[in-house]
Amino acid sequence: FGSILEPDDLTELFSVMRKEGDSRAADMIEEAVQEDGGVHGEMLYQMLAVQGAGSPEYYLKRAGFDAIDTGRDIRMLNW
């Protein structure tokens, strides 16, 4: 298993989503992450893919992530 992303690690991600007009998805995902106390990268990726209006890669890259474990592979975001 990969490392767990803490709710504080995702503040910028949710901010980016809200700025892009995807507040509903940001609120839903943020609430789930806070309830669980964190999230694995592959679960975050899946939540973004299902709930987000934009692609997970778009939001994650805009939030400053370099890579994400999708559960199937590692996606490099800044190359």
Side-chain angles (χ1 to χ4, degrees):
F1 292 102
S3 62
I4 293 178
L5 297 164
E6 302 290 333
D8 290 344
D9 298 332
L10 302 173
T11 303
E12 183 62 24
L13 173 64
F14 300 131
S15 176
V16 165
M17 292 177 74
R18 289 181 179 103
K19 287 177 187 173
E20 293 289 327
D22 206 358
S23 295
R24 183 171 174 241
D27 292 345
M28 290 172 50
I29 297 169
E30 184 175 31
E31 183 178 324
V33 170
Q34 287 179 348
E35 284 179 11
D36 290 343
V39 65
H40 286 280
E42 58 267 22
M43 181 56 75
L44 176 64
Y45 185 88
Q46 293 303 317
M47 288 190 286
L48 289 169
V50 172
Q51 300 294 329
S55 74
E57 292 86 354
Y58 175 79
Y59 287 138
L60 291 163
K61 185 175 181 176
R62 298 263 332 232
F65 284 78
D66 294 324
I68 187 76
D69 180 353
T70 68
R72 187 182 75 184
D73 54 20
I74 304 292
R75 297 268 170 100
M76 300 303 295
L77 303 171
N78 290 323
W79 55 287

